[in-house]
Amino acid sequence: MQEFDLFHQKTKKINQFSGYLLVAIALTLLSIGIVALFSASGKFVLGKESQISSLMLRQFLWIAIGLFSCLIFSLIDYHKLLQLSNWLLIFGFFLLILCFVPGIGHKVHGSSRWISVGGFNVEPSEFSKIFISLFFARILSDAKKKVLFFVSPFFTAFVTMGLFVSLLIISGDLGSSLLYFMVFVLFLYLGGISLKWILPILGSGILFVLIVALLMPERRSRLLAFLAMDQDKEGKSYQVWQSLIALGSGGISGLGLGNSRQKMFYLPESTTDFIFPIIGEELGLWATLLIVGLYLSFILTAGWISLFAPDKEGLMIGTSLTSLIGIQTLANLGVVTGLLPNKGFPLPFISYGGSNLVFCLMSVGVLLNIHRQRPPEFHIKVEEKGAQRSINL
């Protein structure tokens, strides 16, 4: 049993420092994003090298808001957030409805998913992801209790998910609607539903979103372009091809910081969804592998914190927020490398834009709060059955 005592000691030490590691990784990704954005937004300075572009000023403001939100959410007991989850969910739904109100809602690339606030465009679906995660964690942590009028919590979660996804589909944001559905499926699994039920539900949901996408001309053209990228280099596949050119031009060592050619109006959205290829072009393969490694470390650290949450609600919330950031990262990297159809998912912590950045930092705050409330002592119990051994935390 000496090997398990050693394992227990190492696990305890990792558990103690996982919060610091999570903050360090998040700040490192933020720093990379600032440098990458400064380089990619150089074309907007228009020869005034001594001035910081308006994009940088706005991004610094969003970072300040995000760090403040991270601090607040790290100090607020997440159990109090759970108690307020009903009101937070209603508030999130109200914000999504505002996207359709003339004068408030703002349409971008054919999607009505933004609202204008004080000269800034805010994407409510980003913040609602935290609200719906809190709500699902509260009602599904104990599947035996009834939520309202003796209604099953799983049915309540399904109706809630359906309302949010319907609004997102109407707004034209199919990517976020699929993300919300995947969060729902994740909570079903965490709530104890068998995989024999979850897999058909997951497949049906993906098929439904795909059918809706094929019925929308703009989305259908993107899917068809993805299936025939070689035949549409100047059309819907133009952006992806320019992204691949940027990554290929960088090689192993890169062209040098600030020396990207694709950012000079060849690659659209080079400061937002397609900032990763600019990093690869300027700093090379090693930089892109470092970033991928940082994201992997972030997911593993956040997952570790979630694993040692003090209760099931904490486990559910932490796992949900970790998965949301991980899925968005995979989706962005998949799009810029041509492995997935083009969809506007920003690269967490790095891409220009406020809504997703604030969501990610708020998620870090919630994870830190979960980490702060972890049990001071935990026990690892080893059960032996014949030649098999299992470890229970």
Side-chain angles (χ1 to χ4, degrees):
M1 296 298 293
Q2 184 178 1
E3 55 181 308
F4 291 104
D5 292 336
L6 181 62
F7 173 76
H8 181 276
Q9 295 175 4
K10 290 183 177 180
T11 302
K12 185 177 181 179
K13 181 173 290 189
I14 294 174
N15 195 32
Q16 291 175 342
F17 290 96
S18 56
Y20 297 105
L21 181 59
L22 186 74
V23 173
I25 297 172
L27 291 178
T28 302
L29 289 171
L30 273 179
S31 302
I32 293 174
I34 292 172
V35 174
L37 180 61
F38 184 81
S39 176
S41 64
K43 62 187 179 184
F44 297 109
V45 180
L46 301 178
K48 301 178 181 179
E49 288 82 2
S50 61
Q51 292 185 1
I52 299 178
S53 69
S54 61
L55 269 75
M56 292 298 302
L57 293 175
R58 285 172 173 260
Q59 189 72 351
F60 277 122
L61 179 59
W62 282 120
I63 290 175
I65 295 174
L67 290 175
F68 180 75
S69 301
C70 177
L71 176 63
I72 295 300
F73 274 80
S74 67
L75 297 177
I76 298 177
D77 188 342
Y78 70 89
H79 295 97
K80 295 181 179 179
L81 295 176
L82 288 170
Q83 295 172 4
L84 297 172
S85 60
N86 286 357
W87 295 107
L88 292 174
L89 188 74
I90 294 173
F91 177 66
F93 193 76
F94 173 72
L95 290 179
L96 288 178
I97 293 177
L98 287 181
C99 295
F100 302 96
V101 177
I104 300 178
H106 186 65
K107 205 169 190 177
V108 178
H109 299 312
S111 296
S112 302
R113 52 176 173 160
W114 303 84
I115 56 177
S116 297
V117 179
F120 290 86
N121 292 328
V122 179
E123 191 173 1
S125 62
E126 293 289 348
F127 306 111
S128 296
K129 288 185 291 192
I130 290 184
F131 303 154
I132 202 169
S133 295
L134 290 169
F135 179 75
F136 282 170
R138 185 181 67 82
I139 68 172
L140 295 178
S141 59
D142 185 2
K144 296 179 180 180
K145 65 183 178 182
K146 305 301 180 182
V147 180
L148 183 65
F149 300 121
F150 306 102
V151 177
S152 166
F154 292 107
F155 181 76
T156 304
F158 175 77
V159 172
T160 303
M161 181 274 302
L163 290 173
F164 276 84
V165 168
S166 298
L167 274 182
L168 291 171
I169 290 178
I170 294 173
S171 70
D173 189 2
L174 297 185
S176 294
S177 62
L178 183 60
L179 200 60
Y180 273 62
F181 176 76
M182 294 181 72
V183 169
F184 168 70
V185 173
L186 173 64
F187 272 98
L188 290 183
Y189 177 75
L190 295 175
I193 299 297
S194 174
L195 284 177
K196 69 178 182 179
W197 296 106
I198 291 178
L199 293 179
I201 293 174
L202 178 61
S204 301
I206 294 175
L207 180 62
F208 173 75
V209 174
L210 180 61
I211 292 174
V212 173
L214 292 175
L215 295 176
M216 303 172 68
E218 174 68 18
R219 304 302 186 270
R220 181 174 64 249
S221 60
R222 287 187 184 183
L223 288 174
L224 295 177
F226 170 72
L227 296 175
M229 289 180 57
D230 293 338
Q231 304 173 15
D232 194 31
K233 294 183 179 181
E234 299 298 326
K236 293 295 182 181
S237 299
Y238 172 81
Q239 194 171 16
V240 177
W241 276 106
Q242 295 302 316
S243 172
L244 295 176
I245 290 173
L247 290 170
S249 300
I252 295 179
S253 58
L255 302 178
L257 186 63
N259 294 329
S260 168
R261 295 186 291 263
Q262 294 303 108
K263 71 181 181 183
M264 303 307 293
F265 301 102
Y266 291 105
L267 177 60
E269 311 294 343
S270 60
T271 59
T272 53
D273 301 344
F274 282 79
I275 196 170
F276 185 77
I278 301 301
I279 298 175
E281 184 183 14
E282 294 187 348
L283 301 180
L285 176 65
W286 296 117
T288 59
L289 291 178
L290 171 63
I291 292 174
V292 172
L294 285 172
Y295 279 117
L296 180 60
S297 300
F298 180 90
I299 299 303
L300 291 176
T301 305
W304 184 276
I305 291 174
S306 304
L307 178 64
F308 286 95
D311 48 35
K312 191 172 182 179
E313 290 92 340
L315 170 65
M316 285 183 160
I317 298 170
T319 304
S320 174
L321 297 179
T322 302
S323 300
L324 283 167
I325 294 176
I327 292 173
Q328 287 188 215
T329 302
L330 286 175
N332 180 275
L333 297 180
V335 168
V336 301
T337 53
L339 298 177
L340 293 174
N342 195 347
K343 174 64 190 78
F345 279 128
L347 188 60
F349 300 105
I350 292 181
S351 291
Y352 169 76
S355 300
N356 183 259
L357 177 61
V358 174
F359 157 73
C360 291
L361 290 174
M362 287 170 64
S363 299
V364 171
V366 175
L367 287 165
L368 288 177
N369 186 265
I370 294 173
H371 179 259
R372 288 175 60 241
Q373 297 192 49
R374 73 193 187 281
E377 292 290 338
F378 62 92
H379 302 280
I380 298 178
K381 181 181 179 182
V382 181
E383 296 181 354
E384 297 189 17
K385 295 181 180 180
Q388 296 181 351
R389 291 180 177 180
S390 60
I391 300 176
N392 297 323
L393 302 178

